[in-house]
């Protein structure tokens, strides 16, 4: 048995030789669908914003262009950033020089240290000699103690010179680290002059042009993933309870309503849109999409149920109070309906296949 769409009209059985239009209820396998409209959208939509103030001097992109990851999308002229970067480079080079072996300041301290070391070595040797002389009774105690004091003084001078050299090295090393950090920060700031794409994407809208002045936070362009397109549709309050994730869907783009794409309900957003009085669902394409322009309008039929061997009649034979005229009966018969579409009705009870219904005038 074949399923019939809710949008299809069932055949009529007109009585031969009669002016009154009649029909007989028929058994069909019916596919129940929910209609929804919407548009194409892309996942991963991002906005490229200015991270510094200045004039746009280069904007080598156009709407619908595809840009690769890390590609330069715009160049902003910020002279302050450039000047800061150059100054940081100069100060860093100077800090390197101050800490190098050729540093004039460190060379002087090294000479002072070497001189103090030689003096200490000389005084140490003299102290040993005087100690031997004092032990042999050749010199007085005062001469011996004077020489020992002189050695101790030169030793302390040497230690002080060595400490000064080490402290100066540490100071210069700290200064170098600070200059390196400053250069990194300035390089990063200067890098804000170049606006790059964070991933491969298609230009959706270009909001600025070359020569425009931008401030931090101004959006220059919006991009989206050209390979991840889905259908975003609005579903009314009366139908949303029937829709579930995983249900199949038939999608038609308004630019080519003859072509049908297979899809599936991927997500139902947990919020109600007060403006449209509807819910939003995302439909994932199962077929390859050959037209990928965001905001393209579309229509979707979501298959929400299948009714096997359902009893159906044309909608126009049903009155607004859910009654039908049955041939041979004086009064209209009340029927219970299960589904009402634009053209036909699934009858739950009140009619049989043997009944002949008459169009009410």
């Amino acid at each position: 048995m074949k399923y019939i769409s809710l949008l299809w009209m069932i055949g009529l059985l007109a009585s031969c030789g009669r002016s009154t239009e009649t029909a007989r209820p028929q058994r069909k396998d019916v596919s129940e669908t929910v209609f929804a409209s919407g548009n194409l959208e892309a996942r991963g939509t991002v906005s490229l914003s200015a991270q510094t103030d200045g004039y746009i001097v280069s904007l080598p992109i156009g709407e619908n262009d595809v840009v690769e990851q890390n590609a330069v999308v715009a160049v902003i002229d910020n002279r302050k950033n450039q000047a800061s970067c150059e100054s940081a480079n100069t100060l860093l080079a100077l800090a390197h020089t101050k800490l190098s072996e050729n540093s004039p300041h460190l060379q002087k301290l090294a000479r002072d240290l070497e001189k103090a070391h030689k003096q200490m070595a000389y005084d140490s040797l003299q102290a040993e000699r005087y100690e031997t002389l004092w032990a042999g009774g050749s010199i007085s105690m005062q001469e011996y103690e004077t020489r020992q004091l002189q050695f101790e003084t030169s030793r302390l001078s040497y230690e002080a010179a060595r400490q000064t050299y080490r402290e100066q090295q540490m100071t210069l090393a700290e200064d170098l680290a600070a200059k390196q950090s400053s250069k990194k920060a300035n390089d990063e700031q200067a890098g804000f002059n170049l606006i790059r794409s964070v991933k491969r994407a298609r230009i959706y809208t270009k909001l600025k042009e070359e020569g425009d002045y931008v401030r931090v936070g101004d959006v220059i362009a919006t991009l989206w993933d050209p390979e991840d397109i889905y259908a975003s549709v609005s579903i009314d309050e009366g139908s949303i309870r029937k829709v579930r994730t995983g249900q199949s869907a038939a999608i038609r783009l308004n630019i080519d309503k003859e072509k049908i794409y297979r899809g599936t309900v991927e997500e139902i957003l947990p919020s109600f849109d007060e403006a449209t009085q509807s819910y939003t669902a995302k439909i994932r394409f199962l077929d390859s999409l050959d037209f990928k322009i965001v905001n393209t309008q579309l229509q979707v039929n979501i298959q929400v149920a299948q009714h096997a061997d359902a009893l159906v009649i044309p909608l126009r034979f049903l009155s607004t109070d859910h009654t039908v005229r049955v041939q041979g009966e004086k009064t209209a018969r009340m029927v219970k309906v299960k589904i009402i579409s634009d053209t036909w009705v699934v009858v739950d009870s009140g009619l049989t296949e043997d009944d002949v219904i008459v169009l009410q005038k």
Side-chain angles (χ1 to χ4, degrees):
M1 291 185 292
K2 296 182 178 179
Y3 288 100
I4 63 172
S5 168
L6 293 182
L7 299 179
W8 296 347
M9 182 182 295
I10 67 173
L12 296 178
L13 300 178
S15 301
C16 298
R18 295 183 181 181
S19 58
T20 301
E21 187 176 359
T22 62
R24 191 183 295 275
Q26 299 182 41
R27 290 286 178 181
K28 297 288 184 179
D29 289 339
V30 177
S31 176
E32 182 182 357
T33 62
V34 166
F35 174 80
S37 61
N39 55 273
L40 291 179
E41 290 191 8
R43 302 183 205 278
T45 301
V46 296
S47 297
L48 291 182
S49 303
Q51 295 177 288
T52 188
D53 299 342
Y55 289 96
I56 299 177
V57 295
S58 178
L59 193 61
I61 58 170
E63 291 182 351
N64 211 36
D65 287 349
V66 174
V67 294
E68 299 301 324
Q69 183 178 10
N70 208 38
V72 176
V73 175
V75 179
I76 299 174
D77 183 14
N78 187 307
R79 304 294 176 82
K80 181 180 179 180
N81 287 349
Q82 190 63 32
S84 297
C85 187
E86 293 174 358
S87 176
N89 289 337
T90 301
L91 293 175
L92 178 62
L94 183 59
H96 273 295
T97 300
K98 288 181 177 180
L99 193 57
S100 69
E101 294 180 355
N102 298 323
S103 168
H105 186 59
L106 286 182
Q107 284 181 342
K108 179 182 181 304
L109 292 178
R111 289 193 298 269
D112 293 342
L113 179 61
E114 184 180 5
K115 181 179 178 181
H117 184 266
K118 288 181 178 181
Q119 183 64 48
M120 182 186 69
Y122 173 78
D123 289 338
S124 175
L125 182 61
Q126 293 299 314
E128 290 176 359
R129 290 175 179 175
Y130 271 66
E131 184 176 4
T132 302
L133 292 173
W134 178 72
S138 301
I139 60 174
S140 64
M141 174 66 74
Q142 183 179 3
E143 291 176 307
Y144 167 71
E145 291 178 347
T146 299
R147 182 53 63 177
Q148 292 295 324
L149 179 59
Q150 187 172 346
F151 166 66
E152 181 64 20
T153 300
S154 62
R155 187 185 68 79
L156 292 175
S157 296
Y158 168 73
E159 291 296 334
R162 187 170 64 170
Q163 184 66 22
T164 299
Y165 185 84
R166 289 177 177 176
E167 288 179 353
Q168 190 60 37
Q169 276 188 317
M170 290 181 61
T171 298
L172 293 176
E174 291 174 356
D175 182 62
L176 176 61
K179 295 299 190 296
Q180 288 173 331
S181 178
S182 178
K183 180 185 183 304
K184 183 177 179 181
N186 279 278
D187 285 346
E188 184 175 348
Q189 188 69 29
F192 292 161
N193 290 3
L194 302 179
I195 308 300
R196 298 179 181 272
S197 173
V198 296
K199 62 181 180 179
R200 187 176 186 273
R202 187 182 296 275
I203 305 299
Y204 176 32
T205 54
K206 188 172 70 170
L207 303 175
K208 300 293 182 181
E209 298 293 340
E210 287 187 12
D212 286 349
Y213 185 83
V214 292
R215 298 186 181 279
V216 175
D218 287 352
V219 178
I220 295 174
T222 55
L223 295 78
W224 47 270
D225 189 338
E227 306 303 328
D228 198 354
I229 306 295
Y230 66 93
S232 176
V233 298
S234 298
I235 302 173
D236 63 60
E237 294 177 273
S239 302
I240 190 63
R241 294 178 62 86
K242 300 178 182 179
V243 180
R244 299 286 185 273
T245 57
Q247 292 173 336
S248 60
I251 310 166
R252 294 180 176 87
L253 303 184
N254 285 10
I255 61 165
D256 184 7
K257 293 184 179 181
E258 297 301 319
K259 185 167 185 177
I260 300 176
Y261 297 93
R262 294 180 305 117
T264 183
V265 179
E266 184 177 55
E267 182 183 1
I268 301 172
L269 300 186
S271 61
F272 182 71
D273 190 334
E274 294 288 349
T276 62
Q277 292 293 295
S278 64
Y279 294 85
T280 300
K282 295 181 180 181
I283 311 296
R284 177 167 56 88
F285 284 87
L286 298 179
D287 293 329
S288 178
L289 185 62
D290 53 11
F291 189 84
K292 299 180 179 180
I293 303 298
V294 171
N295 283 337
T296 297
Q297 300 298 300
L298 53 85
Q299 300 175 17
V300 175
N301 285 308
I302 303 171
Q303 184 176 307
V304 296
Q306 292 181 344
H307 304 277
D309 200 31
L311 191 66
V312 297
I313 63 172
L315 174 62
R316 63 179 179 278
F317 283 78
L318 181 71
S319 68
T320 56
D321 60 354
H322 287 192
T323 62
V324 295
R325 297 288 300 182
V326 179
Q327 193 175 60
E329 296 182 3
K330 294 182 179 180
T331 59
R333 186 188 298 183
M334 178 70 69
V335 295
K336 183 179 179 181
V337 300
K338 182 180 293 185
I339 303 170
I340 300 177
S341 77
D342 292 339
T343 55
W344 60 270
V345 178
V346 172
V347 178
D348 192 37
S349 62
L351 285 176
T352 69
E353 297 170 77
D354 297 327
D355 290 323
V356 176
I357 56 177
V358 180
L359 184 64
Q360 301 182 64
K361 297 182 179 180

